[in-house]
Amino acid sequence: MSYLEEIQVKNLDHLGIVAGLIDEIGIVKIINNKLGIDVREKISAGTVVKSILINGLGFVSRPLYLFSQFFQDKAIEKLLGERIKPDYLNDDKIGRVMDELYKYGLNDIFIEVVLEVIKKFKIDLKYSHLDSTSFHLDGEYKREEDKEKQEEEKIIKERPIFIKKGYSRDHRPDLKQCVLDLITSQDGDIPLFVRVGDGNESDKAVFGKVLVEFKKQIKFDSIMVCDSALYGQENLQIIQHLKWITRVPMTIKKAKELVQNIEVEEVKDEDKENRSDLNLESYTWKEEIVTYGGIKQTWLIVLSEKRQKSDLEKLEKQLSQEEKKSQKFLKEIQSEEFEHPQAARYKLKAINKKLRLLEIKEVELIKTYSKKKEKIYKMISLIIKKDEEISRKTKEAGKFILATNLVEENKLEASEILITYKNQQSTERGFRFLKDPLFFTDSFFVEKPERIETMLFLMSLCLLIYNLGQRELRNCLKRVKKGINNQVGKVTLRPTLRWIFQCFQGIHYVILNGVKQIVNLTEERRFILSLLPASCQRYYL
């Protein structure tokens, strides 16, 4: 055997970090305990799931039928276990495991993983955030609708989802879709609850039920935070025993009146410094006690200076665009010949429906004769501003209302309500991650609705692993009070885990004459590893 034939070089890169986080959580053990281990199989279901998660966080866009190719140049035995070969991870094996996961119950498995993470990593659950997004899908997905649907269907459905058209957050109304509801912790954006719904599902119809189901599964006294889709009389009755913060939709009459008539309080000099420390210097607010849907609440009417400026600029732009449009309409209606006065007024009414801030008003209808000596009517009109509508929009600019049922002895400070709602973007960050084109794909094809639900379950586990790793790294940097260089060479205490993954590119697992070693492990990389759980370090040190 030649000297060269005794050298094996495999890529490890950042995948050891991913594998270590999976081990630290105990995902393989949880899956194997649920699905069981068949001694006749070369690879367990838990290890297959681990391989999918490593693949998902490898940030290479490869569909499942190219899955085994992903591991061809990787240190697969180091990552997954001795004597495991890439061809063990074929599409048939992965498909069988996905079907087993679905059959057992994706929600039950996810909840057990989450409970383990909460306990082991001491996740603060004071606040939890709910939001939803849609994923558009290619394919037919023909399924028979249930002939008779129960009036009240459980939010965790026993039937597979229906893939159908609905309101698309991806701006692809031409494609069928499914909906993903996600609850995350404010502490580290850790996914706590995931639910896949039908493509035409309405947030308003399910959000209340989702929160109730979440509280049954995760028995913690968390304050639930959600956008205005939650706020409606039916939902408020459903969640009346929960603690919540949400936004009030401006379609509610009481909300319109308050925004129009209430004056937010000026900030006192002694409060300015405190608001600056909280990064709320551009906000002012006023509290009101309101009863809506039979629930006593605190409404916080908030004015954002930045948003007010943006809203007024948009209003000015809208007014300018309507002026151009209305001039065109004015010229059109004044040059037209009408057989009857009613026809002229009907045309004017149709035009005004297209305008919001301006109105074309009839001044006079003139009876005259056409070139053919036929009696006709011509309209003289002028453009006027809708002062009341413009004034309403001007008063509303920059204002929004937050509501909470935490009143009296449970009352929160106004600043805490506002800061907590601003952190609602924790779910939005999760959606951006799941829809990143480098992560699986934002539009995927799997042959059955059950497989789509399972794929979203696995993608959500990837999000949990990623955010947990990022949280642990940032918390450790904060404790040691030492930062690392980011992409532009500036020291930061809050690096993204994706940047850390990039920093670990080029680490190899080398076997030379039977001796195994890791190469390219610099001092900087060793320092980063020291900040991560011990399970991550074992893959490199």
Side-chain angles (χ1 to χ4, degrees):
M1 186 179 291
S2 71
Y3 177 73
L4 288 176
E5 288 175 327
E6 296 178 38
I7 299 177
Q8 293 182 50
V9 181
K10 297 290 184 180
N11 295 328
L12 184 59
D13 300 325
H14 69 283
L15 301 180
I17 296 175
V18 178
L21 289 167
I22 295 168
D23 296 345
E24 194 75 15
I25 296 168
I27 291 176
V28 173
K29 184 179 178 182
I30 290 170
I31 300 292
N32 285 339
N33 285 344
K34 299 290 186 188
L35 303 187
I37 298 176
D38 188 337
V39 293
R40 296 169 297 176
E41 293 187 314
K42 296 176 181 178
I43 184 169
S44 72
T47 305
V48 171
V49 170
K50 182 179 181 180
S51 71
I52 294 172
L53 300 178
I54 290 172
N55 181 220
L57 289 166
F59 294 117
V60 292
S61 186
R62 287 176 184 245
L64 286 182
Y65 62 82
L66 293 178
F67 191 85
S68 61
Q69 292 183 19
F70 172 81
F71 284 100
Q72 288 293 346
D73 62 346
K74 306 295 189 299
I76 188 169
E77 291 192 35
K78 178 76 170 168
L79 294 167
L80 300 180
E82 290 184 8
R83 294 185 293 278
I84 291 180
K85 307 299 180 188
D87 56 6
Y88 295 176
L89 299 166
N90 55 64
D91 53 351
D92 289 336
K93 177 64 179 177
I94 292 167
R96 285 197 301 273
V97 170
M98 289 178 75
D99 292 341
E100 287 174 28
L101 290 168
Y102 183 87
K103 187 176 178 181
Y104 183 89
L106 303 174
N107 181 63
D108 291 343
I109 297 171
F110 195 84
I111 289 296
E112 184 155 340
V113 172
V114 166
L115 290 172
E116 186 65 26
V117 168
I118 291 168
K119 179 182 174 183
K120 192 163 193 173
F121 295 91
K122 297 179 172 59
I123 308 297
D124 183 0
L125 294 180
K126 182 176 181 181
Y127 295 108
S128 303
H129 298 261
L130 166 66
D131 207 346
S132 70
T133 192
S134 59
F135 286 82
H136 59 270
L137 301 146
D138 301 313
E140 289 300 317
Y141 304 103
K142 290 178 180 177
R143 287 189 61 238
E144 290 292 324
E145 292 278 1
D146 293 345
K147 291 181 181 177
E148 289 185 14
K149 284 191 177 181
Q150 296 177 357
E151 266 184 40
E152 292 221 2
E153 194 177 57
K154 288 183 181 178
I155 201 70
I156 301 299
K157 299 185 281 287
E158 293 181 4
R159 65 164 176 81
I161 56 170
F162 288 107
I163 308 299
K164 51 178 65 178
K165 292 181 179 180
Y167 172 69
S168 175
R169 280 84 162 180
D170 295 335
H171 309 292
R172 290 300 306 269
D174 55 313
L175 293 177
K176 293 179 180 179
Q177 64 178 25
C178 62
V179 170
L180 179 73
D181 299 317
L182 176 67
I183 296 178
T184 61
S185 66
Q186 188 163 303
D187 175 15
D189 301 348
I190 307 299
L192 302 174
F193 187 84
V194 175
R195 175 185 166 274
V196 186
D198 300 340
N200 64 344
E201 191 173 83
S202 164
D203 292 349
K204 291 180 181 179
V206 301
F207 270 9
K209 296 173 185 176
V210 169
L211 291 183
V212 170
E213 185 64 33
F214 169 66
K215 293 297 284 188
K216 286 180 187 175
Q217 305 277 353
I218 309 282
K219 293 180 172 63
F220 290 93
D221 194 26
S222 198
I223 298 170
M224 309 309 304
V225 187
C226 191
D227 64 19
S228 60
L230 179 67
Y231 201 89
Q233 295 199 31
E234 185 178 342
N235 276 338
L236 293 185
Q237 288 300 317
I238 292 172
I239 63 169
Q240 61 180 307
H241 301 301
L242 307 181
K243 298 175 182 177
W244 49 263
I245 296 171
T246 185
R247 186 167 173 167
V248 181
M250 284 301 158
T251 52
I252 293 174
K253 184 179 177 182
K254 178 69 175 176
K256 288 180 181 177
E257 289 173 356
L258 280 175
V259 165
Q260 286 295 309
N261 301 319
I262 205 163
E263 291 294 328
V264 296
E265 297 172 347
E266 288 290 326
V267 184
K268 296 175 183 176
D269 290 338
E270 57 265 30
D271 292 335
K272 286 183 179 178
E273 186 176 344
N274 183 43
R275 292 198 186 185
S276 179
D277 293 340
L278 296 171
N279 199 26
L280 296 176
E281 60 268 26
S282 64
Y283 293 91
T284 50
W285 54 74
K286 186 174 178 60
E287 293 183 61
E288 290 282 312
I289 298 296
V290 172
T291 299
Y292 182 79
I295 309 294
K296 189 177 181 182
Q297 307 161 38
T298 298
W299 278 18
L300 190 68
I301 301 94
V302 183
L303 172 63
S304 164
E305 288 180 10
K306 291 179 182 176
R307 182 168 173 174
Q308 183 183 44
K309 184 181 177 183
S310 173
D311 287 350
L312 290 175
E313 286 174 354
K314 287 177 184 174
L315 181 61
E316 197 66 37
K317 185 177 180 181
Q318 186 183 354
L319 193 56
S320 175
Q321 288 173 341
E322 282 207 6
E323 283 173 351
K324 292 177 184 176
K325 192 190 292 186
S326 59
Q327 287 290 347
K328 183 181 175 183
F329 288 149
L330 181 68
K331 187 176 179 181
E332 180 185 323
I333 200 166
Q334 290 193 146
S335 62
E336 195 165 342
E337 298 176 348
F338 299 97
E339 291 183 6
H340 307 285
Q342 294 93 329
R345 290 180 179 126
Y346 182 81
K347 177 70 178 279
L348 182 62
K349 187 177 180 180
I351 284 174
N352 279 325
K353 280 184 178 178
K354 300 175 183 178
L355 301 172
R356 296 286 179 268
L357 306 175
L358 301 174
E359 183 180 12
I360 298 177
K361 192 171 183 181
E362 175 189 334
V363 175
E364 187 181 1
L365 265 176
I366 301 172
K367 184 169 73 173
T368 183
Y369 293 91
S370 67
K371 292 178 181 178
K372 296 179 181 179
K373 306 299 180 183
E374 295 173 337
K375 185 169 68 174
I376 59 166
Y377 293 87
K378 299 200 79 173
M379 179 177 280
I380 305 298
S381 49
L382 57 81
I383 300 168
I384 60 170
K385 286 185 178 180
K386 294 182 181 177
D387 292 328
E388 191 175 322
E389 180 66 11
I390 293 169
S391 174
R392 183 183 70 79
K393 284 186 169 289
T394 302
K395 285 181 180 178
E396 286 180 0
K399 289 181 183 173
F400 58 95
I401 299 176
L402 302 178
T404 178
N405 62 341
L406 295 165
V407 295
E408 296 168 355
E409 69 273 9
N410 294 319
K411 189 174 184 298
L412 293 173
E413 289 291 328
S415 57
E416 187 172 357
I417 296 170
L418 181 53
I419 290 169
T420 301
Y421 186 78
K422 284 176 69 180
N423 284 325
Q424 178 68 1
Q425 60 186 301
S426 65
T427 49
E428 293 168 10
R429 284 192 291 267
F431 295 144
R432 284 199 298 272
F433 176 90
L434 293 171
K435 294 189 175 192
D436 190 311
L438 292 176
F439 173 66
F440 284 109
T441 175
D442 67 346
S443 171
F444 43 84
F445 176 89
V446 188
E447 60 188 16
K448 298 185 293 185
E450 295 92 329
R451 291 271 182 94
I452 289 166
E453 288 190 58
T454 308
M455 180 62 77
L456 281 167
F457 157 79
L458 294 166
M459 291 166 71
S460 300
L461 279 181
C462 284
L463 175 62
L464 186 151
I465 293 160
Y466 180 91
N467 283 352
L468 180 64
Q470 186 167 266
R471 173 187 181 269
E472 290 303 291
L473 177 68
R474 290 176 175 181
N475 285 348
C476 281
L477 285 170
K478 190 176 178 181
R479 280 198 297 272
V480 300
K481 297 179 181 178
K482 185 177 179 181
I484 60 175
N485 290 335
N486 63 13
Q487 293 92 321
V488 293
K490 291 186 177 179
V491 176
T492 178
L493 293 174
R494 293 182 57 79
T496 65
L497 195 62
R498 176 165 292 184
W499 168 241
I500 300 303
F501 287 174
Q502 290 176 13
C503 291
F504 272 65
Q505 297 304 296
I507 295 180
H508 302 297
Y509 181 63
V510 177
I511 303 175
L512 177 58
N513 295 326
V515 178
K516 302 171 183 177
Q517 56 184 310
I518 306 293
V519 298
N520 291 338
L521 199 58
T522 63
E523 285 303 314
E524 181 186 31
R525 289 167 174 168
R526 288 176 183 273
F527 171 66
I528 293 170
L529 283 173
S530 71
L531 304 169
L532 293 166
S535 297
C536 299
Q537 299 170 26
R538 281 198 290 270
Y539 285 89
Y540 297 93
L541 302 177

